[in-house]
């Protein structure tokens, strides 16, 4: 196997592993608030929005420390252990208790920070400036298949259901736990790139002569990784790009937790309201996969022959999201995010339409893939030599905004949530364009291309 083939194989395995783990986790998050509203137990009084807010708060607080953990454990072991923690979180819903639910929310927040930092490191060491765009797209497309499979089951299993029974909940979450465990073991299949293997062999040779030096080097690497994350966070490029990254955290919260809950709470959809949660997730996934494949796998063709770089892709993402938010504003009742399990009988400016609701799901997914594939690409290129700290900072900013969004989702009416999303989308796109323009001039000497 050639070095390039091994790297590409690693990226595909990485994407498949995340696809399984996040088939479980994203399906879990998509239906979480709806399931919790249906739990009839004196021992459980949790909130799905509160749990997700805790996850992303801990996630953000942990991100600046995780480069040190990845430096000590390595990206492969870090991802494997984190995958097991994700499986444990999903398993909590089989027999939920308030204390275990919130404890698992804290622990998975730490694991998520480790997982995504290790992922960014693994993706970068298996790429170069010529393949980072392609590999980002491959990874993103495979990851977003996770939105299809779990939600497809939800759509058919919950069709016509007005209340989610304990049996239905246990069946779904047992299956999701097993799927997450399968994904965790996929991480073991990732092999070191040839360059990394050679570096390791050289280090082993050095160890024979300087064992004490090598023993002291690991802690120093961890400290260096932490300092590097702080320094990267304070750079002008990342501070400016943080506006766009923060937006992706807000819109992630909306399409993964809030929008499906809104559809499930809209009584105008009748007996199909609960199954629309799954159908919405499927079409978000379709949009994500199409976007990832188009702007990742075909990036060289788009750049070389059509002259399409990062900025037009991000502008397309902005257009998709603004259109989706406007249609959601017209189609979904304003109180849908905050009503009880009974749902809302209110109508928006239009009589709620299933077709418009699902079309908006597709636009949300397509727009999200536009933003994220380009952010992964530009961060991976600008900080190729410091990938773990750079992606830790990326997730630090994204998870802070997601935590804030899950926090206000419990209380804000839909119109105000949509207004926040529109404003941050606009300013985030401007910030990305400025960073991209500066990057073109700053990195020309390194053979930088549009994507």
């Amino acid at each position: 196997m050639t070095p390039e083939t091994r790297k590409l194989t690693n990226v595909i395995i990485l994407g498949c592993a995340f696809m399984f783990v996040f088939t479980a986790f994203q399906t879990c998050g998509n239906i979480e608030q709806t399931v919790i509203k249906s739990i009839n137990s004196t021992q459980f009084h949790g909130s799905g929005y509160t749990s997700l807010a805790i996850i992303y708060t801990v996630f953000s607080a942990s991100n600046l420390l995780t480069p040190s953990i990845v430096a000590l454990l390595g990206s492969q072991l870090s991802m494997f252990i984190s995958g097991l923690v994700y499986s444990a979180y999903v398993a909590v819903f089989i027999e939920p208790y308030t204390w275990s639910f919130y404890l698992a929310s804290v622990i998975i927040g730490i694991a998520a920070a480790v997982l995504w930092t290790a992922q960014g490191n693994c993706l970068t060491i298996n790429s170069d400036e010529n393949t980072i765009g392609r590999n980002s797209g491959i990874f993103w497309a495979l990851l977003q298949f996770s939105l299809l499979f779990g939600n497809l089951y939800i759509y058919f299993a919950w069709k016509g259901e007005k209340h989610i029974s304990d049996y239905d909940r246990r069946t779904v979450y047992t299956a999701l736990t097993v799927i997450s465990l399968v994904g965790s073991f996929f991480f073991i299949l990732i092999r070191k790139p040839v360059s990394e293997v050679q570096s390791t062999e050289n280090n082993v040779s050095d160890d024979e002569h300087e064992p004490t030096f090598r023993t002291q080097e690991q802690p120093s690497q961890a400290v260096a990784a932490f300092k590097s994350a702080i320094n990267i966070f304070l750079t002008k490029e990342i501070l400016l790009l943080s506006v766009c990254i923060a937006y992706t955290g807000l819109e992630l919260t909306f399409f993964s937790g809030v929008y499906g809950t809104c559809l499930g709470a809209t009584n105008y959809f009748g007996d199909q309201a609960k199954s629309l949660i799954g159908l919405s997730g499927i079409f978000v996934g379709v949009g994500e996969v199409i976007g990832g494949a188009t702007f990742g796998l075909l990036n060289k063709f788009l750049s070389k022959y059509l002259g399409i770089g990062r900025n037009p892709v991000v502008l397309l993402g902005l257009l998709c999201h603004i259109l989706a938010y406007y249609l959601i504003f017209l189609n979904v009742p304003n109180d849908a995010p905050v009503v009880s399990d009974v749902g809302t009988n209110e109508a928006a400016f239009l009589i709620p339409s299933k077709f418009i609701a699902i079309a908006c799901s597709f636009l949300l997914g397509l727009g999200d893939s536009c933003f994220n594939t380009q952010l992964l690409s530009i961060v991976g290129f600008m900080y190729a030599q410091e990938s773990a700290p750079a992606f830790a900072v990326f997730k630090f900013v994204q998870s802070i905004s997601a935590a804030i969004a899950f926090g206000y989702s419990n209380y804000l009416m839909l119109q105000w949530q949509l207004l926040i999303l529109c404003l941050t989308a606009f300013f985030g796109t401007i910030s990305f364009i400025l960073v991209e323009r500066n990057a073109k001039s700053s990195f020309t000497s390194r053979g930088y291309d549009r994507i």
Side-chain angles (χ1 to χ4, degrees):
M1 183 181 292
T2 65
E4 286 305 313
T5 303
R6 176 182 286 192
K7 287 182 177 181
L8 180 58
T9 302
N10 283 343
V11 171
I12 293 172
I13 294 173
L14 180 69
C16 290
F18 270 72
M19 179 183 69
F20 280 103
V21 171
F22 281 86
T23 290
F25 181 71
Q26 292 198 119
T27 304
C28 173
N30 198 24
I31 64 176
E32 188 169 308
Q33 184 68 4
T34 301
V35 167
I36 287 173
K37 287 179 181 180
S38 297
I39 293 176
N40 182 20
S41 172
T42 57
Q43 298 176 320
F44 186 82
H45 304 284
S47 164
Y49 290 151
T50 302
S51 166
L52 292 167
I54 290 171
I55 290 172
Y56 283 99
T57 300
V58 176
F59 187 2
S60 63
S62 304
N63 264 301
L64 295 181
L65 298 175
T66 52
S68 302
I69 297 173
V70 175
L72 287 171
L73 299 180
S75 59
Q76 185 180 44
L77 182 58
S78 297
M79 290 188 291
F80 174 68
I81 295 173
S82 299
L84 296 180
V85 175
Y86 269 75
S87 303
Y89 175 79
V90 175
V92 164
F93 286 89
I94 297 173
E95 198 60 51
Y97 296 92
T98 306
W99 67 268
S100 61
F101 177 52
Y102 287 130
L103 176 62
S105 301
V106 173
I107 296 173
I108 197 177
I110 300 171
V114 174
L115 179 69
W116 282 102
T117 300
Q119 175 271 334
N121 177 245
C122 184
L123 182 66
T124 303
I125 64 176
N126 284 283
S127 306
D128 55 37
E129 62 267 23
N130 297 315
T131 61
I132 184 65
R134 179 202 68 188
N135 290 349
S136 297
I138 291 172
F139 171 78
W140 192 255
L142 287 170
L143 169 63
Q144 298 311 324
F145 270 109
S146 63
L147 287 166
L148 302 180
F149 304 124
N151 286 302
L152 190 63
Y153 172 80
I154 296 299
Y155 173 69
F156 287 109
W158 290 6
K159 197 169 186 179
E161 296 284 346
K162 291 186 177 181
H163 179 85
I164 309 306
S165 68
D166 288 346
Y167 174 79
D168 289 336
R169 185 193 72 244
R170 292 188 184 110
T171 301
V172 168
Y173 281 100
T174 299
L176 293 178
T177 301
V178 173
I179 291 170
S180 181
L181 287 170
V182 171
S184 300
F185 283 95
F186 259 77
F187 291 124
I188 297 175
L189 302 178
I190 296 174
R191 302 170 65 189
K192 285 187 177 182
V194 172
S195 57
E196 290 285 305
V197 173
Q198 291 172 345
S199 175
T200 301
E201 289 173 350
N202 292 336
N203 289 338
V204 170
S205 177
D206 291 342
D207 283 351
E208 294 173 358
H209 303 286
E210 302 179 73
T212 304
F213 174 78
R214 293 298 298 168
T215 302
Q216 294 173 346
E217 188 174 315
Q218 276 196 325
S220 67
Q221 285 178 340
V223 173
F226 175 74
K227 290 181 179 179
S228 180
I230 298 296
N231 291 334
I232 288 172
F233 181 61
L234 296 177
T235 60
K236 180 182 71 175
E237 291 81 8
I238 286 295
L239 288 174
L240 194 57
L241 202 61
S242 290
V243 183
C244 188
I245 297 172
Y247 169 66
T248 64
L250 298 181
E251 53 99 4
L252 166 69
T253 297
F254 185 76
F255 79 74
S256 67
V258 177
Y259 186 54
T261 301
C262 290
L263 298 182
T266 304
N267 291 338
Y268 268 89
F269 292 136
D271 291 343
Q272 293 187 332
K274 294 292 186 287
S275 65
L276 275 179
I277 300 173
L279 193 59
S280 171
I282 291 168
F283 276 86
V284 169
V286 170
E288 295 276 14
V289 171
I290 290 175
T294 302
F295 305 121
L297 298 177
L298 301 180
N299 74 87
K300 282 193 174 294
F301 173 81
L302 295 173
S303 177
K304 184 175 181 179
Y305 297 104
L306 300 182
I308 297 176
R310 291 189 180 98
N311 285 342
V313 177
V314 171
L315 286 169
L316 175 62
L318 174 66
L319 178 63
C320 289
H321 277 180
I322 294 298
L323 178 59
Y325 298 148
Y326 177 66
L327 292 174
I328 291 169
F329 174 70
L330 296 178
N331 192 55
V332 178
N334 194 36
D335 60 345
V338 297
V339 294
S340 66
D341 186 43
V342 177
T344 176
N345 293 312
E346 298 293 325
F349 292 92
L350 304 174
I351 296 176
S353 162
K354 298 172 188 175
F355 175 79
I356 293 176
I358 298 307
C360 289
S361 299
F362 173 79
L363 290 172
L364 290 172
L366 180 60
D368 181 64
S369 70
C370 290
F371 279 101
N372 276 284
T373 55
Q374 304 316 300
L375 283 168
L376 285 172
S377 177
I378 195 170
V379 171
F381 178 81
M382 290 194 302
Y383 299 98
Q385 302 305 315
E386 301 173 292
S387 58
F391 280 98
V393 171
F394 179 104
K395 285 297 175 180
F396 171 72
V397 176
Q398 189 180 61
S399 54
I400 283 178
S401 62
I404 293 171
F406 276 117
Y408 67 60
S409 295
N410 269 319
Y411 308 102
L412 288 186
M413 294 292 191
L414 183 61
Q415 61 184 3
W416 301 116
Q417 297 194 38
L418 294 173
L419 177 62
I420 292 170
L421 288 166
C422 287
L423 291 175
T424 51
F426 177 74
F427 288 110
T429 301
I430 292 175
S431 75
F432 185 96
I433 291 172
L434 292 175
V435 173
E436 167 77 347
R437 184 172 298 173
N438 292 337
K440 280 185 178 182
S441 58
S442 299
F443 294 94
T444 300
S445 61
R446 291 175 52 191
Y448 174 79
D449 199 1
R450 287 187 179 87
I451 292 184

